[in-house]
Amino acid sequence: MQKSFGRKKVIMMFLLPAFIVYTLFVVVSVVWAGYYSLFDWSGVGEKNFLGIQNYIQLFTNDPTFWATVAHTLLYTVICVLIQVFGGLLFAVFLSRVTKFRAGLQTLYYVPVVISSVAICQIFTKLLSVTPPGVINSVLGFFDQNLLYMEWISNDSLSLLVAAFVEGYKYLGLYMVIFYAALIGVPKELEEAAIMDGTNVVQLYRHVKIPYIRPVIIANCVLVLNGSLRSFDISFLLTKGGPGNSSELMSTYMYKQAFSSMKYGYGSAVAMAIVAICLLVGFVFRRVTERGEEA
């Protein structure tokens, strides 16, 4: 078996289907988007060749785009904090629980399988102002001014709320990954650490967490990749508003291409998203690689 799976032909046989699907749905799409970004086109009719004018307009004369870049980076940081560190915290908790563990795992994982539309509808009701939702009703017991607190329509909070909802939805997914990694830590390491007199906090800090560091890095990459391209939660919950206060790069691209019918300009935004995702991913990998060498 090991000899068979070690052969290059066998490896290529397993990689080829995924490579073909990836090429058709990702690589070809990126190439076409790059092609369309060179034109002024409404989606129908003649295409007017502009060269790199869309990119010049995007990077030098579009403050809204740069605002969406800042919003997306902040959105990503919040998602990383909730999904990665929150997921790790919940996984540590589950690894210490002896009773009702299966029930808690299911409960934490439920938001992952619920559709984004349903999640947004739930939070819209919870954060409702008229009539007051559950959140405002509870806060109203402590301060009547908070009974009519605006959340989704508040330009200072809408982006944070959308990021929190996305983090909440996918937290259970990364919790499961971290939990599987934690229970896979060799018992010999735990026993040796306990014999050396380490307590529970020291056990996780110096033994278990360092052991699953590659899993933590992999999850960070997944969250970065997903959050930088995030669309559904923000669009369904806030529509990028009020104003442009919660506009992300992906929602801005959608509005330019499909609402304003500027397919060429929207494609330029899409190519910028690809470039920023690659840049952030490259920087993150370089930073983590230096950490591993240290």
Side-chain angles (χ1 to χ4, degrees):
M1 181 67 73
Q2 290 179 348
K3 290 182 179 179
S4 297
F5 280 100
R7 296 173 183 170
K8 291 183 179 180
K9 290 183 178 180
V10 177
I11 295 173
M12 289 302 299
M13 182 182 68
F14 282 94
L15 290 178
L16 188 60
F19 177 76
I20 292 174
V21 172
Y22 182 83
T23 301
L24 290 176
F25 290 95
V26 178
V27 176
V28 173
S29 299
V30 171
V31 171
W32 273 110
Y35 169 74
Y36 287 136
S37 69
L38 303 176
F39 293 87
D40 176 18
W41 187 43
S42 65
V44 293
E46 294 292 330
K47 296 190 291 288
N48 299 318
F49 183 75
L50 297 178
I52 61 172
Q53 287 301 314
N54 282 329
Y55 292 100
I56 295 175
Q57 169 72 16
L58 183 68
F59 292 120
T60 64
N61 196 29
D62 191 348
T64 302
F65 170 73
W66 290 110
T68 65
V69 173
H71 294 163
T72 303
L73 293 177
L74 176 59
Y75 190 94
T76 300
V77 170
I78 296 172
C79 286
V80 169
L81 291 175
I82 295 176
Q83 296 176 33
V84 176
F85 295 101
L88 180 58
L89 182 63
F90 275 73
V92 170
F93 170 72
L94 278 179
S95 67
R96 304 298 302 177
V97 171
T98 56
K99 295 182 179 180
F100 309 111
R101 180 182 295 169
L104 289 172
Q105 282 178 300
T106 304
L107 182 65
Y108 296 151
Y109 195 78
V110 164
V112 180
V113 298
I114 298 177
S115 71
S116 298
V117 176
I119 288 288
C120 290
Q121 285 295 316
I122 290 171
F123 273 91
T124 298
K125 299 298 182 183
L126 290 174
L127 300 172
S128 174
V129 178
T130 52
V134 174
I135 303 298
N136 283 11
S137 297
V138 172
L139 294 175
F141 282 110
F142 303 97
D143 187 346
Q144 280 297 313
N145 293 325
L146 297 177
L147 184 62
Y148 299 101
M149 176 71 177
E150 296 283 353
W151 298 93
I152 297 174
S153 58
N154 188 325
D155 59 0
S156 299
L157 297 176
S158 57
L159 180 66
L160 304 180
V161 170
F164 173 81
V165 173
E166 172 138 352
Y168 165 80
K169 175 172 170 54
Y170 294 107
L171 182 148
L173 173 63
Y174 297 99
M175 177 208 67
V176 170
I177 298 173
F178 282 131
Y179 175 71
L182 286 173
I183 63 176
V185 177
K187 294 295 182 182
E188 294 82 2
L189 293 179
E190 295 184 43
E191 293 171 356
I194 292 172
M195 290 180 65
D196 288 338
T198 59
N199 55 37
V200 175
V201 175
Q202 293 172 330
L203 177 65
Y204 279 93
R205 180 181 177 184
H206 298 293
V207 179
K208 290 193 172 185
I209 301 301
Y211 187 85
I212 66 169
R213 187 174 185 272
V215 178
I216 296 175
I217 293 174
N219 280 346
C220 285
V221 172
L222 291 174
V223 176
L224 284 172
N225 184 51
S227 301
L228 289 170
R229 299 181 295 105
S230 181
F231 173 82
D232 53 349
I233 298 293
S234 176
F235 188 79
L236 291 168
L237 199 64
T238 68
K239 299 292 190 299
N244 295 317
S245 61
S246 61
E247 196 82 81
L248 302 180
M249 291 188 294
S250 56
T251 59
Y252 186 61
M253 174 199 68
Y254 174 85
K255 290 179 179 179
Q256 290 296 316
F258 298 103
S259 297
S260 300
M261 300 302 292
K262 298 178 181 178
Y263 277 74
Y265 196 72
S267 297
V269 178
M271 295 304 297
I273 294 173
V274 172
I276 291 172
C277 287
L278 291 175
L279 177 62
V280 171
F282 175 77
V283 171
F284 179 79
R285 289 301 304 173
R286 294 292 295 175
V287 171
T288 54
E289 286 173 2
R290 289 179 181 177
E292 289 174 355
E293 293 174 358

